[in-house]
Amino acid sequence: MARTPETPTSERAYQEIKARLMDGRFRLRQRLDASAIATDLAVSTTPVREALLRLTAERLVSFRPSHGFSAAMWSESGLRDLYRWRGELAELALKSASALSTPTSAVTRDYPSRTAALLTAMQRGAHGELVASARNADDRLHMARVAERELWADVEEELTPLDEAIEKGDVSRLKIALRLYHDKRVAAAKAIRDCAALLGLPSNGA
């Protein structure tokens, strides 16, 4: 029986660090010590640094020569622009979408993942560069969407107009729903960022 090739160490390090960023185990703005992470993952420092550099290119991690690596945190204006960008990408995808269909597993996911899944469902037939840009924007917005869930009790219900428009294949209605959805978040960027910053504090507030 042929052996399945092992995932390269740098790829495993990348996947694990990204998972920790996405699920909040690494808090926003938390310093990421390559040596400590390498020890925790039982790998050498080199693949960890490679993974952190890759995540820096994806803007999920920040790097400053005097401070090293840290979990990226948007500025207020940066978050506003990122919401606008995600909305623009969704509308661009609709121009070339070959079909619209709600992901069957979307309703079982948490709000941030469900949002990403719904937006991704609009991209069938879109070219690779757009899909890659949209995926990165969703990754970078993940913790902002966690904050949205804290701010708004009805946030799950805001996905209903998107769901319904996708189900009906109504592109015009979907464009309107997308603009309303993202315009609200652009306007609330400061509140969302402030909430995310509080979520990013250690449990003892230090």
Side-chain angles (χ1 to χ4, degrees):
M1 183 172 163
R3 293 180 60 188
T4 303
E6 291 187 6
T7 304
T9 305
S10 59
E11 179 65 22
R12 286 193 290 109
Y14 165 81
Q15 291 174 0
E16 179 59 32
I17 295 168
K18 183 174 181 179
R20 295 184 185 194
L21 288 165
M22 298 292 284
D23 66 19
R25 280 179 285 170
F26 289 143
R27 302 179 306 275
L28 295 171
R29 295 183 292 195
Q30 178 179 338
R31 184 172 178 272
L32 304 176
D33 184 279
S35 297
I37 294 172
T39 299
D40 189 42
L41 298 181
V43 299
S44 68
T45 304
T46 298
V48 170
R49 289 188 63 84
E50 290 173 353
L52 289 171
L53 288 169
R54 182 175 167 186
L55 289 161
T56 299
E58 295 177 8
R59 300 173 73 178
L60 289 169
V61 167
S62 298
F63 176 78
R64 288 188 293 167
S66 58
H67 292 81
F69 296 101
S70 60
M73 176 74 173
W74 342 265
S75 64
E76 179 186 334
S77 62
L79 181 58
R80 191 178 295 117
D81 288 345
L82 186 53
Y83 275 119
R84 287 195 184 104
W85 175 232
R86 188 62 187 94
E88 289 167 5
L89 287 169
E91 291 199 35
L92 282 173
L94 289 177
K95 293 181 180 180
S96 57
S98 57
L100 294 174
S101 61
T102 302
T104 56
S105 61
V107 293
T108 65
R109 301 177 184 178
D110 61 15
Y111 167 74
S113 298
R114 184 182 170 209
T115 303
L118 281 174
L119 294 175
T120 299
M122 304 172 196
Q123 297 167 190
R124 295 183 181 182
H127 60 77
E129 288 297 325
L130 191 154
V131 171
S133 295
R135 184 184 305 115
N136 177 252
D138 283 328
D139 287 345
R140 292 170 59 204
L141 281 170
H142 184 84
M143 293 308 297
R145 289 169 178 158
V146 172
E148 289 175 33
R149 189 177 56 198
E150 296 292 319
L151 284 172
W152 301 316
D154 62 346
V155 72
E156 296 274 359
E157 297 171 17
E158 292 187 61
L159 298 178
T160 300
L162 301 177
D163 270 323
E164 292 177 347
I166 291 173
E167 184 178 353
K168 295 178 184 298
D170 190 334
V171 174
S172 296
R173 182 178 173 184
L174 184 52
K175 285 182 178 179
I176 293 170
L178 279 168
R179 287 172 188 168
L180 290 172
Y181 180 86
H182 286 103
D183 284 352
K184 175 179 177 178
R185 283 145 182 81
V186 168
K190 182 180 186 303
I192 294 169
R193 185 185 184 279
D194 289 348
C195 180
L198 289 174
L199 292 173
L201 289 173
S203 57
N204 62 4

mmCIF file of all heavy atoms in Angstrom, residues 29-77:
data_model
loop_
_atom_site.group_PDB
_atom_site.id
_atom_site.type_symbol
_atom_site.label_atom_id
_atom_site.label_comp_id
_atom_site.label_asym_id
_atom_site.label_seq_id
_atom_site.Cartn_x
_atom_site.Cartn_y
_atom_site.Cartn_z
ATOM 1 N N ARG A 29 -3.365 41.564 17.807
ATOM 2 C CA ARG A 29 -2.207 42.343 18.267
ATOM 3 C C ARG A 29 -1.260 41.557 19.175
ATOM 4 O O ARG A 29 -0.261 42.108 19.636
ATOM 5 C CB ARG A 29 -2.644 43.644 18.970
ATOM 6 C CG ARG A 29 -3.341 44.605 18.052
ATOM 7 C CD ARG A 29 -3.701 45.908 18.727
ATOM 8 N NE ARG A 29 -4.738 45.734 19.733
ATOM 9 C CZ ARG A 29 -5.436 46.724 20.279
ATOM 10 N NH1 ARG A 29 -5.184 47.955 19.934
ATOM 11 N NH2 ARG A 29 -6.355 46.495 21.181
ATOM 12 N N GLN A 30 -1.568 40.301 19.452
ATOM 13 C CA GLN A 30 -0.681 39.503 20.297
ATOM 14 C C GLN A 30 0.657 39.274 19.585
ATOM 15 O O GLN A 30 0.696 38.954 18.403
ATOM 16 C CB GLN A 30 -1.310 38.146 20.606
ATOM 17 C CG GLN A 30 -0.415 37.234 21.448
ATOM 18 C CD GLN A 30 -1.077 35.898 21.751
ATOM 19 O OE1 GLN A 30 -2.296 35.783 21.697
ATOM 20 N NE2 GLN A 30 -0.276 34.895 22.071
ATOM 21 N N ARG A 31 1.756 39.426 20.321
ATOM 22 C CA ARG A 31 3.067 39.158 19.760
ATOM 23 C C ARG A 31 3.213 37.669 19.504
ATOM 24 O O ARG A 31 2.824 36.841 20.328
ATOM 25 C CB ARG A 31 4.179 39.637 20.706
ATOM 26 C CG ARG A 31 5.574 39.475 20.130
ATOM 27 C CD ARG A 31 6.616 40.146 21.004
ATOM 28 N NE ARG A 31 7.956 39.935 20.467
ATOM 29 C CZ ARG A 31 8.732 38.895 20.745
ATOM 30 N NH1 ARG A 31 8.311 37.948 21.582
ATOM 31 N NH2 ARG A 31 9.927 38.765 20.210
ATOM 32 N N LEU A 32 3.748 37.333 18.348
ATOM 33 C CA LEU A 32 3.921 35.933 17.963
ATOM 34 C C LEU A 32 5.403 35.600 17.973
ATOM 35 O O LEU A 32 6.145 36.007 17.075
ATOM 36 C CB LEU A 32 3.313 35.693 16.574
ATOM 37 C CG LEU A 32 1.832 36.083 16.418
ATOM 38 C CD1 LEU A 32 1.376 35.902 14.980
ATOM 39 C CD2 LEU A 32 0.956 35.271 17.370
ATOM 40 N N ASP A 33 5.821 34.905 18.998
ATOM 41 C CA ASP A 33 7.230 34.550 19.159
ATOM 42 C C ASP A 33 7.519 33.256 18.402
ATOM 43 O O ASP A 33 6.990 32.191 18.744
ATOM 44 C CB ASP A 33 7.551 34.380 20.636
ATOM 45 C CG ASP A 33 9.018 34.096 20.867
ATOM 46 O OD1 ASP A 33 9.428 32.937 20.709
ATOM 47 O OD2 ASP A 33 9.741 35.053 21.186
ATOM 48 N N ALA A 34 8.338 33.354 17.362
ATOM 49 C CA ALA A 34 8.598 32.198 16.503
ATOM 50 C C ALA A 34 9.201 31.033 17.288
ATOM 51 O O ALA A 34 8.847 29.868 17.066
ATOM 52 C CB ALA A 34 9.511 32.598 15.345
ATOM 53 N N SER A 35 10.085 31.319 18.214
ATOM 54 C CA SER A 35 10.728 30.255 18.991
ATOM 55 C C SER A 35 9.720 29.532 19.879
ATOM 56 O O SER A 35 9.716 28.302 19.977
ATOM 57 C CB SER A 35 11.863 30.828 19.842
ATOM 58 O OG SER A 35 12.870 31.365 19.020
ATOM 59 N N ALA A 36 8.852 30.303 20.535
ATOM 60 C CA ALA A 36 7.845 29.706 21.416
ATOM 61 C C ALA A 36 6.852 28.867 20.614
ATOM 62 O O ALA A 36 6.458 27.770 21.032
ATOM 63 C CB ALA A 36 7.112 30.789 22.195
ATOM 64 N N ILE A 37 6.455 29.385 19.462
ATOM 65 C CA ILE A 37 5.521 28.632 18.618
ATOM 66 C C ILE A 37 6.183 27.353 18.113
ATOM 67 O O ILE A 37 5.561 26.282 18.091
ATOM 68 C CB ILE A 37 5.042 29.499 17.433
ATOM 69 C CG1 ILE A 37 4.211 30.682 17.947
ATOM 70 C CG2 ILE A 37 4.217 28.663 16.451
ATOM 71 C CD1 ILE A 37 3.861 31.700 16.882
ATOM 72 N N ALA A 38 7.448 27.458 17.721
ATOM 73 C CA ALA A 38 8.169 26.277 17.236
ATOM 74 C C ALA A 38 8.234 25.193 18.317
ATOM 75 O O ALA A 38 8.024 24.006 18.040
ATOM 76 C CB ALA A 38 9.569 26.679 16.797
ATOM 77 N N THR A 39 8.502 25.608 19.544
ATOM 78 C CA THR A 39 8.543 24.646 20.652
ATOM 79 C C THR A 39 7.183 23.990 20.841
ATOM 80 O O THR A 39 7.072 22.776 21.027
ATOM 81 C CB THR A 39 8.975 25.349 21.951
ATOM 82 O OG1 THR A 39 10.286 25.891 21.767
ATOM 83 C CG2 THR A 39 8.978 24.374 23.116
ATOM 84 N N ASP A 40 6.138 24.802 20.782
ATOM 85 C CA ASP A 40 4.781 24.288 20.969
ATOM 86 C C ASP A 40 4.386 23.305 19.867
ATOM 87 O O ASP A 40 3.692 22.313 20.118
ATOM 88 C CB ASP A 40 3.797 25.456 21.006
ATOM 89 C CG ASP A 40 2.400 25.037 21.419
ATOM 90 O OD1 ASP A 40 2.279 24.224 22.350
ATOM 91 O OD2 ASP A 40 1.437 25.514 20.811
ATOM 92 N N LEU A 41 4.841 23.574 18.646
ATOM 93 C CA LEU A 41 4.492 22.714 17.514
ATOM 94 C C LEU A 41 5.492 21.572 17.322
ATOM 95 O O LEU A 41 5.304 20.737 16.437
ATOM 96 C CB LEU A 41 4.422 23.545 16.223
ATOM 97 C CG LEU A 41 3.377 24.658 16.162
ATOM 98 C CD1 LEU A 41 3.435 25.349 14.807
ATOM 99 C CD2 LEU A 41 1.983 24.102 16.424
ATOM 100 N N ALA A 42 6.541 21.564 18.132
ATOM 101 C CA ALA A 42 7.586 20.538 18.048
ATOM 102 C C ALA A 42 8.248 20.521 16.670
ATOM 103 O O ALA A 42 8.456 19.467 16.060
ATOM 104 C CB ALA A 42 7.015 19.157 18.384
ATOM 105 N N VAL A 43 8.556 21.731 16.181
ATOM 106 C CA VAL A 43 9.278 21.870 14.911
ATOM 107 C C VAL A 43 10.403 22.880 15.125
ATOM 108 O O VAL A 43 10.502 23.518 16.181
ATOM 109 C CB VAL A 43 8.346 22.349 13.774
ATOM 110 C CG1 VAL A 43 7.227 21.344 13.527
ATOM 111 C CG2 VAL A 43 7.762 23.737 14.078
ATOM 112 N N SER A 44 11.242 23.042 14.120
ATOM 113 C CA SER A 44 12.310 24.031 14.225
ATOM 114 C C SER A 44 11.744 25.427 13.969
ATOM 115 O O SER A 44 10.616 25.589 13.492
ATOM 116 C CB SER A 44 13.423 23.724 13.227
ATOM 117 O OG SER A 44 12.974 23.922 11.906
ATOM 118 N N THR A 45 12.551 26.434 14.251
ATOM 119 C CA THR A 45 12.097 27.820 14.079
ATOM 120 C C THR A 45 11.929 28.192 12.610
ATOM 121 O O THR A 45 11.054 28.992 12.275
ATOM 122 C CB THR A 45 13.097 28.780 14.745
ATOM 123 O OG1 THR A 45 13.265 28.412 16.114
ATOM 124 C CG2 THR A 45 12.606 30.218 14.676
ATOM 125 N N THR A 46 12.729 27.604 11.728
ATOM 126 C CA THR A 46 12.707 27.995 10.311
ATOM 127 C C THR A 46 11.330 27.842 9.673
ATOM 128 O O THR A 46 10.826 28.803 9.059
ATOM 129 C CB THR A 46 13.754 27.201 9.518
ATOM 130 O OG1 THR A 46 15.050 27.519 10.029
ATOM 131 C CG2 THR A 46 13.691 27.553 8.036
ATOM 132 N N PRO A 47 10.658 26.682 9.759
ATOM 133 C CA PRO A 47 9.331 26.595 9.134
ATOM 134 C C PRO A 47 8.301 27.521 9.774
ATOM 135 O O PRO A 47 7.377 27.981 9.102
ATOM 136 C CB PRO A 47 8.937 25.122 9.325
ATOM 137 C CG PRO A 47 9.800 24.616 10.427
ATOM 138 C CD PRO A 47 11.075 25.378 10.313
ATOM 139 N N VAL A 48 8.472 27.807 11.056
ATOM 140 C CA VAL A 48 7.549 28.741 11.715
ATOM 141 C C VAL A 48 7.738 30.141 11.157
ATOM 142 O O VAL A 48 6.764 30.842 10.850
ATOM 143 C CB VAL A 48 7.743 28.727 13.248
ATOM 144 C CG1 VAL A 48 6.961 29.858 13.909
ATOM 145 C CG2 VAL A 48 7.323 27.384 13.818
ATOM 146 N N ARG A 49 8.980 30.562 10.996
ATOM 147 C CA ARG A 49 9.248 31.883 10.424
ATOM 148 C C ARG A 49 8.738 31.953 8.982
ATOM 149 O O ARG A 49 8.186 32.969 8.562
ATOM 150 C CB ARG A 49 10.733 32.216 10.487
ATOM 151 C CG ARG A 49 11.239 32.508 11.898
ATOM 152 C CD ARG A 49 12.677 33.028 11.866
ATOM 153 N NE ARG A 49 12.764 34.292 11.149
ATOM 154 C CZ ARG A 49 12.513 35.481 11.696
ATOM 155 N NH1 ARG A 49 12.136 35.579 12.964
ATOM 156 N NH2 ARG A 49 12.624 36.574 10.975
ATOM 157 N N GLU A 50 8.914 30.878 8.237
ATOM 158 C CA GLU A 50 8.394 30.844 6.865
ATOM 159 C C GLU A 50 6.879 30.999 6.865
ATOM 160 O O GLU A 50 6.314 31.727 6.037
ATOM 161 C CB GLU A 50 8.792 29.533 6.182
ATOM 162 C CG GLU A 50 10.270 29.431 5.866
ATOM 163 C CD GLU A 50 10.664 28.056 5.333
ATOM 164 O OE1 GLU A 50 9.800 27.142 5.349
ATOM 165 O OE2 GLU A 50 11.822 27.887 4.903
ATOM 166 N N ALA A 51 6.225 30.312 7.790
ATOM 167 C CA ALA A 51 4.767 30.407 7.894
ATOM 168 C C ALA A 51 4.338 31.818 8.292
ATOM 169 O O ALA A 51 3.370 32.367 7.737
ATOM 170 C CB ALA A 51 4.259 29.393 8.918
ATOM 171 N N LEU A 52 5.044 32.424 9.238
ATOM 172 C CA LEU A 52 4.698 33.776 9.674
ATOM 173 C C LEU A 52 4.901 34.792 8.561
ATOM 174 O O LEU A 52 4.110 35.728 8.404
ATOM 175 C CB LEU A 52 5.529 34.155 10.905
ATOM 176 C CG LEU A 52 5.152 33.413 12.197
ATOM 177 C CD1 LEU A 52 6.178 33.700 13.290
ATOM 178 C CD2 LEU A 52 3.751 33.803 12.668
ATOM 179 N N LEU A 53 5.951 34.608 7.763
ATOM 180 C CA LEU A 53 6.175 35.502 6.623
ATOM 181 C C LEU A 53 5.065 35.347 5.587
ATOM 182 O O LEU A 53 4.605 36.334 4.995
ATOM 183 C CB LEU A 53 7.541 35.223 5.994
ATOM 184 C CG LEU A 53 8.743 35.690 6.809
ATOM 185 C CD1 LEU A 53 10.045 35.131 6.226
ATOM 186 C CD2 LEU A 53 8.806 37.222 6.868
ATOM 187 N N ARG A 54 4.643 34.134 5.363
ATOM 188 C CA ARG A 54 3.538 33.876 4.424
ATOM 189 C C ARG A 54 2.257 34.532 4.925
ATOM 190 O O ARG A 54 1.519 35.159 4.153
ATOM 191 C CB ARG A 54 3.355 32.368 4.269
ATOM 192 C CG ARG A 54 2.276 31.944 3.290
ATOM 193 C CD ARG A 54 2.312 30.427 3.148
ATOM 194 N NE ARG A 54 1.130 29.926 2.466
ATOM 195 C CZ ARG A 54 0.850 28.640 2.309
ATOM 196 N NH1 ARG A 54 1.674 27.723 2.790
ATOM 197 N NH2 ARG A 54 -0.248 28.259 1.671
ATOM 198 N N LEU A 55 1.985 34.422 6.217
ATOM 199 C CA LEU A 55 0.793 35.029 6.795
ATOM 200 C C LEU A 55 0.894 36.549 6.826
ATOM 201 O O LEU A 55 -0.126 37.246 6.766
ATOM 202 C CB LEU A 55 0.556 34.473 8.205
ATOM 203 C CG LEU A 55 0.088 33.012 8.225
ATOM 204 C CD1 LEU A 55 0.323 32.391 9.599
ATOM 205 C CD2 LEU A 55 -1.379 32.917 7.833
ATOM 206 N N THR A 56 2.118 37.051 6.894
ATOM 207 C CA THR A 56 2.318 38.505 6.799
ATOM 208 C C THR A 56 1.946 38.988 5.403
ATOM 209 O O THR A 56 1.293 40.033 5.240
ATOM 210 C CB THR A 56 3.776 38.871 7.123
ATOM 211 O OG1 THR A 56 4.087 38.458 8.457
ATOM 212 C CG2 THR A 56 4.006 40.372 7.006
ATOM 213 N N ALA A 57 2.335 38.224 4.388
ATOM 214 C CA ALA A 57 1.971 38.564 3.005
ATOM 215 C C ALA A 57 0.456 38.545 2.821
ATOM 216 O O ALA A 57 -0.096 39.328 2.028
ATOM 217 C CB ALA A 57 2.634 37.590 2.035
ATOM 218 N N GLU A 58 -0.222 37.680 3.570
ATOM 219 C CA GLU A 58 -1.686 37.590 3.509
ATOM 220 C C GLU A 58 -2.362 38.619 4.406
ATOM 221 O O GLU A 58 -3.582 38.705 4.454
ATOM 222 C CB GLU A 58 -2.141 36.188 3.909
ATOM 223 C CG GLU A 58 -1.690 35.112 2.933
ATOM 224 C CD GLU A 58 -2.078 33.708 3.371
ATOM 225 O OE1 GLU A 58 -2.830 33.575 4.364
ATOM 226 O OE2 GLU A 58 -1.626 32.753 2.735
ATOM 227 N N ARG A 59 -1.568 39.376 5.171
ATOM 228 C CA ARG A 59 -2.016 40.441 6.048
ATOM 229 C C ARG A 59 -2.841 39.934 7.231
ATOM 230 O O ARG A 59 -3.629 40.661 7.812
ATOM 231 C CB ARG A 59 -2.779 41.515 5.255
ATOM 232 C CG ARG A 59 -1.907 42.145 4.172
ATOM 233 C CD ARG A 59 -2.650 43.073 3.271
ATOM 234 N NE ARG A 59 -2.989 44.323 3.946
ATOM 235 C CZ ARG A 59 -3.627 45.329 3.344
ATOM 236 N NH1 ARG A 59 -3.985 45.221 2.081
ATOM 237 N NH2 ARG A 59 -3.905 46.427 4.012
ATOM 238 N N LEU A 60 -2.613 38.676 7.591
ATOM 239 C CA LEU A 60 -3.179 38.137 8.820
ATOM 240 C C LEU A 60 -2.210 38.319 9.984
ATOM 241 O O LEU A 60 -2.596 38.196 11.152
ATOM 242 C CB LEU A 60 -3.500 36.650 8.656
ATOM 243 C CG LEU A 60 -4.683 36.337 7.731
ATOM 244 C CD1 LEU A 60 -4.738 34.847 7.432
ATOM 245 C CD2 LEU A 60 -5.989 36.801 8.345
ATOM 246 N N VAL A 61 -0.963 38.578 9.648
ATOM 247 C CA VAL A 61 0.092 38.827 10.626
ATOM 248 C C VAL A 61 0.791 40.123 10.238
ATOM 249 O O VAL A 61 0.908 40.446 9.055
ATOM 250 C CB VAL A 61 1.100 37.650 10.654
ATOM 251 C CG1 VAL A 61 2.373 38.005 11.411
ATOM 252 C CG2 VAL A 61 0.443 36.411 11.270
ATOM 253 N N SER A 62 1.215 40.871 11.241
ATOM 254 C CA SER A 62 1.983 42.102 11.009
ATOM 255 C C SER A 62 3.429 41.873 11.428
ATOM 256 O O SER A 62 3.705 41.067 12.324
ATOM 257 C CB SER A 62 1.395 43.259 11.830
ATOM 258 O OG SER A 62 0.060 43.529 11.440
ATOM 259 N N PHE A 63 4.330 42.602 10.793
ATOM 260 C CA PHE A 63 5.740 42.516 11.173
ATOM 261 C C PHE A 63 6.344 43.913 11.237
ATOM 262 O O PHE A 63 6.168 44.716 10.321
ATOM 263 C CB PHE A 63 6.537 41.674 10.174
ATOM 264 C CG PHE A 63 8.012 41.639 10.487
ATOM 265 C CD1 PHE A 63 8.492 40.826 11.501
ATOM 266 C CD2 PHE A 63 8.904 42.443 9.787
ATOM 267 C CE1 PHE A 63 9.844 40.811 11.817
ATOM 268 C CE2 PHE A 63 10.260 42.433 10.095
ATOM 269 C CZ PHE A 63 10.729 41.614 11.108
ATOM 270 N N ARG A 64 7.017 44.190 12.346
ATOM 271 C CA ARG A 64 7.795 45.424 12.491
ATOM 272 C C ARG A 64 9.189 45.037 12.964
ATOM 273 O O ARG A 64 9.319 44.240 13.914
ATOM 274 C CB ARG A 64 7.138 46.369 13.502
ATOM 275 C CG ARG A 64 5.860 47.009 12.993
ATOM 276 C CD ARG A 64 5.364 48.086 13.944
ATOM 277 N NE ARG A 64 4.918 47.528 15.219
ATOM 278 C CZ ARG A 64 4.679 48.254 16.303
ATOM 279 N NH1 ARG A 64 4.876 49.571 16.287
ATOM 280 N NH2 ARG A 64 4.263 47.671 17.418
ATOM 281 N N PRO A 65 10.227 45.563 12.331
ATOM 282 C CA PRO A 65 11.598 45.167 12.676
ATOM 283 C C PRO A 65 11.919 45.265 14.156
ATOM 284 O O PRO A 65 12.618 44.421 14.713
ATOM 285 C CB PRO A 65 12.453 46.135 11.843
ATOM 286 C CG PRO A 65 11.595 46.466 10.666
ATOM 287 C CD PRO A 65 10.192 46.514 11.209
ATOM 288 N N SER A 66 11.364 46.275 14.836
ATOM 289 C CA SER A 66 11.692 46.462 16.257
ATOM 290 C C SER A 66 10.804 45.647 17.196
ATOM 291 O O SER A 66 11.113 45.524 18.381
ATOM 292 C CB SER A 66 11.580 47.947 16.616
ATOM 293 O OG SER A 66 10.277 48.429 16.334
ATOM 294 N N HIS A 67 9.712 45.080 16.661
ATOM 295 C CA HIS A 67 8.772 44.345 17.513
ATOM 296 C C HIS A 67 8.547 42.899 17.086
ATOM 297 O O HIS A 67 8.005 42.103 17.845
ATOM 298 C CB HIS A 67 7.410 45.061 17.534
ATOM 299 C CG HIS A 67 7.441 46.387 18.221
ATOM 300 N ND1 HIS A 67 7.889 47.543 17.610
ATOM 301 C CD2 HIS A 67 7.076 46.758 19.477
ATOM 302 C CE1 HIS A 67 7.802 48.555 18.450
ATOM 303 N NE2 HIS A 67 7.315 48.113 19.594
ATOM 304 N N GLY A 68 8.938 42.571 15.877
ATOM 305 C CA GLY A 68 8.729 41.217 15.388
ATOM 306 C C GLY A 68 7.318 41.004 14.853
ATOM 307 O O GLY A 68 6.660 41.941 14.402
ATOM 308 N N PHE A 69 6.844 39.767 14.940
ATOM 309 C CA PHE A 69 5.542 39.398 14.396
ATOM 310 C C PHE A 69 4.438 39.577 15.446
ATOM 311 O O PHE A 69 4.668 39.382 16.641
ATOM 312 C CB PHE A 69 5.553 37.929 13.948
ATOM 313 C CG PHE A 69 6.497 37.633 12.822
ATOM 314 C CD1 PHE A 69 7.729 37.038 13.080
ATOM 315 C CD2 PHE A 69 6.158 37.935 11.510
ATOM 316 C CE1 PHE A 69 8.607 36.744 12.049
ATOM 317 C CE2 PHE A 69 7.027 37.644 10.470
ATOM 318 C CZ PHE A 69 8.254 37.046 10.742
ATOM 319 N N SER A 70 3.247 39.913 14.963
ATOM 320 C CA SER A 70 2.077 39.974 15.842
ATOM 321 C C SER A 70 0.830 39.700 15.013
ATOM 322 O O SER A 70 0.827 39.858 13.780
ATOM 323 C CB SER A 70 1.956 41.344 16.518
ATOM 324 O OG SER A 70 1.817 42.369 15.545
ATOM 325 N N ALA A 71 -0.235 39.264 15.677
ATOM 326 C CA ALA A 71 -1.505 39.037 14.994
ATOM 327 C C ALA A 71 -2.032 40.379 14.499
ATOM 328 O O ALA A 71 -2.126 41.336 15.258
ATOM 329 C CB ALA A 71 -2.499 38.383 15.941
ATOM 330 N N ALA A 72 -2.366 40.455 13.221
ATOM 331 C CA ALA A 72 -2.737 41.730 12.607
ATOM 332 C C ALA A 72 -4.037 42.282 13.180
ATOM 333 O O ALA A 72 -4.956 41.541 13.529
ATOM 334 C CB ALA A 72 -2.870 41.565 11.103
ATOM 335 N N MET A 73 -4.076 43.601 13.281
ATOM 336 C CA MET A 73 -5.277 44.317 13.727
ATOM 337 C C MET A 73 -5.506 45.462 12.757
ATOM 338 O O MET A 73 -4.574 46.212 12.446
ATOM 339 C CB MET A 73 -5.067 44.863 15.149
ATOM 340 C CG MET A 73 -6.207 45.712 15.691
ATOM 341 S SD MET A 73 -7.631 44.704 16.135
ATOM 342 C CE MET A 73 -8.694 45.927 16.916
ATOM 343 N N TRP A 74 -6.719 45.597 12.257
ATOM 344 C CA TRP A 74 -6.998 46.653 11.295
ATOM 345 C C TRP A 74 -7.089 48.007 12.006
ATOM 346 O O TRP A 74 -7.479 48.102 13.163
ATOM 347 C CB TRP A 74 -8.332 46.417 10.585
ATOM 348 C CG TRP A 74 -8.872 45.028 10.673
ATOM 349 C CD1 TRP A 74 -8.723 44.015 9.770
ATOM 350 C CD2 TRP A 74 -9.656 44.488 11.747
ATOM 351 N NE1 TRP A 74 -9.364 42.893 10.207
ATOM 352 C CE2 TRP A 74 -9.941 43.145 11.420
ATOM 353 C CE3 TRP A 74 -10.131 45.007 12.951
ATOM 354 C CZ2 TRP A 74 -10.690 42.313 12.238
ATOM 355 C CZ3 TRP A 74 -10.860 44.186 13.786
ATOM 356 C CH2 TRP A 74 -11.147 42.865 13.432
ATOM 357 N N SER A 75 -6.798 49.071 11.269
ATOM 358 C CA SER A 75 -7.159 50.410 11.727
ATOM 359 C C SER A 75 -8.646 50.597 11.437
ATOM 360 O O SER A 75 -9.256 49.789 10.698
ATOM 361 C CB SER A 75 -6.352 51.470 10.971
ATOM 362 O OG SER A 75 -6.683 51.439 9.585
ATOM 363 N N GLU A 76 -9.243 51.630 11.977
ATOM 364 C CA GLU A 76 -10.660 51.876 11.699
ATOM 365 C C GLU A 76 -10.890 52.078 10.202
ATOM 366 O O GLU A 76 -11.791 51.471 9.610
ATOM 367 C CB GLU A 76 -11.140 53.099 12.480
ATOM 368 C CG GLU A 76 -12.604 53.434 12.234
ATOM 369 C CD GLU A 76 -13.026 54.735 12.904
ATOM 370 O OE1 GLU A 76 -12.399 55.127 13.910
ATOM 371 O OE2 GLU A 76 -13.991 55.355 12.409
ATOM 372 N N SER A 77 -10.051 52.909 9.581
ATOM 373 C CA SER A 77 -10.209 53.156 8.150
ATOM 374 C C SER A 77 -9.883 51.904 7.339
ATOM 375 O O SER A 77 -10.508 51.634 6.313
ATOM 376 C CB SER A 77 -9.324 54.323 7.700
ATOM 377 O OG SER A 77 -7.952 54.017 7.922
#
